[in-house]
């Protein structure tokens, strides 16, 4: 599949290099150098993934990611020159699917893009239902009482991995394996950030979760009450 990628980065030499490298790998790649022009392109064209720099001349990539999530669920790979853990955590909280510190090897960026693109795009398919919670596998959609809840592509995969194994405790390593999460292995505590965002989307009280529980030292478990058997349609 000839995936269509967008890069938002003010480093024009880097953009040109990535366009050449990713183009040789079979991707169609466009580049924009400001948040404003990048968001405009995303509203006008259909892209499969976004590579977004953290520091841009007209603003912060974190704010750009927040604005993007108001109208698009496109997978986002965020670039950060600072490499600070807090930047990575904030990026995940704002809706990024993965991060890559600068400088980086183009091969690593390509591997991470392949990983987030493997998760696919919306379509039709079967649905898991747990009481008020509905998870559409192929449509990659989550609803509570029929109301859509926004999750990143990676967060959806984590929720699905847990919901397909209700009652089973899953360690961070098992979750990474279940969602083919090799891009995050170097920072696997980011799983905790993603779980926090999932709880904010699906729990009535994220501070007192009832769906996704933490077992200290063991991992996470998805729960359902005895009066709501799993239904797949």
């Amino acid at each position: 599949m000839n995936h269509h990628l967008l890069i938002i980065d003010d480093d024009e030499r880097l953009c040109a290099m990535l366009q050449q490298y990713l183009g040789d790998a079979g991707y169609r790649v466009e580049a924009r150098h400001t948040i404003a022009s990048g968001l405009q392109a995303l509203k006008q064209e259909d892209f499969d993934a976004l590579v977004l720099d953290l520091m841009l001349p007209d603003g912060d990539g974190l704010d750009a990611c927040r604005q993007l999530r108001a109208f698009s669920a496109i997978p986002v790979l965020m670039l950060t020159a600072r490499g600070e853990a807090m930047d990575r955590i904030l990026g995940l909280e704002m809706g990024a699917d993965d991060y890559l510190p600068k400088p980086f090897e183009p091969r690593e960026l390509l591997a991470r893009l392949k990983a987030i693109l493997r998760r696919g795009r919306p379509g039709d398919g079967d649905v898991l239902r747990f009481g008020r919670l509905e998870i559409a596998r192929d449509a990659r959609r989550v609803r509570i009482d029929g109301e859509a809840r926004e999750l990143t592509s990676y967060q959806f995969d984590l929720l699905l991995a847990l919901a397909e194994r209700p009652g089973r405790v899953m360690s961070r390593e098992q979750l990474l394996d279940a969602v083919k999460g090799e891009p995050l292995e170097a920072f696997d505590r980011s799983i905790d950030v993603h779980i926090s965002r999932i709880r904010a989307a699906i729990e009535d009280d994220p501070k007192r979760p009832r769906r996704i529980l933490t077992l200290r030292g063991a991992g996470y478990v998805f729960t359902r009450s005895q009066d709501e058997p799993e239904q797949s349609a």
Side-chain angles (χ1 to χ4, degrees):
M1 182 177 179
N2 192 13
H3 289 292
H4 194 191
L5 310 178
L6 178 65
I7 302 170
I8 305 178
D9 194 307
D10 62 333
D11 187 335
E12 297 187 21
R13 291 182 61 185
L14 175 64
C15 289
M17 181 273 289
L18 290 177
Q19 284 181 287
Q20 178 67 48
Y21 183 83
L22 295 172
D24 290 344
Y27 296 90
R28 291 188 297 130
V29 187
E30 296 186 33
R32 300 291 188 274
H33 307 302
T34 65
I35 292 173
S37 61
L39 293 179
Q40 187 65 25
L42 287 161
K43 291 178 180 178
Q44 294 177 340
E45 300 183 57
D46 185 26
F47 293 94
D48 296 294
L50 169 65
V51 178
L52 174 65
D53 191 25
L54 179 64
M55 304 299 293
L56 290 157
D58 59 339
D60 193 310
L62 296 174
D63 184 59
C65 196
R66 181 186 58 78
Q67 293 180 55
L68 171 67
R69 286 298 176 232
F71 66 87
S72 174
I74 184 174
V76 175
L77 173 61
M78 184 168 285
L79 305 178
T80 169
R82 296 193 294 238
E84 296 292 336
M86 185 54 65
D87 289 333
R88 304 196 292 270
I89 291 171
L90 287 173
L92 296 171
E93 289 182 339
M94 290 298 162
D97 292 88
D98 194 8
Y99 71 93
L100 184 61
K102 291 182 177 180
F104 55 82
E105 288 289 335
R107 289 180 301 173
E108 184 175 6
L109 181 137
L110 178 58
R112 290 169 183 260
L113 282 172
K114 286 181 177 179
I116 63 176
L117 287 166
R118 274 199 301 266
R119 295 164 200 155
R121 298 191 55 94
D124 296 325
D126 59 341
V127 177
L128 293 175
R129 293 187 176 89
F130 301 93
R132 299 160 52 222
L133 173 64
E134 175 186 289
I135 305 170
R137 284 190 178 97
D138 291 344
R140 303 181 66 78
R141 181 182 63 237
V142 176
R143 291 177 174 171
I144 300 289
D145 290 332
E147 178 183 341
R149 300 300 172 94
E150 293 298 326
L151 294 175
T152 69
S153 179
Y154 196 84
Q155 289 159 10
F156 178 87
D157 284 346
L158 284 174
L159 173 59
L160 183 60
L162 287 162
E164 287 180 331
R165 304 164 178 83
R168 173 180 165 184
V169 179
M170 298 190 70
S171 68
R172 294 182 181 85
E173 292 75 16
Q174 289 172 322
L175 284 170
L176 284 167
D177 182 66
V179 301
K180 295 181 172 59
E182 57 269 27
L184 289 174
E185 284 178 352
F187 186 46
D188 65 2
R189 295 293 294 186
S190 63
I191 289 283
D192 301 339
V193 178
H194 284 300
I195 293 294
S196 177
R197 299 295 291 177
I198 295 169
R199 285 170 170 161
I202 71 169
E203 299 278 7
D204 291 332
D205 184 354
K207 294 183 179 181
R208 295 180 175 84
R210 301 182 66 182
R211 281 293 178 198
I212 301 177
L213 306 182
T214 301
L215 274 69
R216 189 175 300 276
Y220 296 99
V221 60
F222 182 93
T223 67
R224 65 167 183 253
S225 63
Q226 294 182 350
D227 60 348
E228 52 168 48
E230 175 186 332
Q231 296 179 354
S232 183

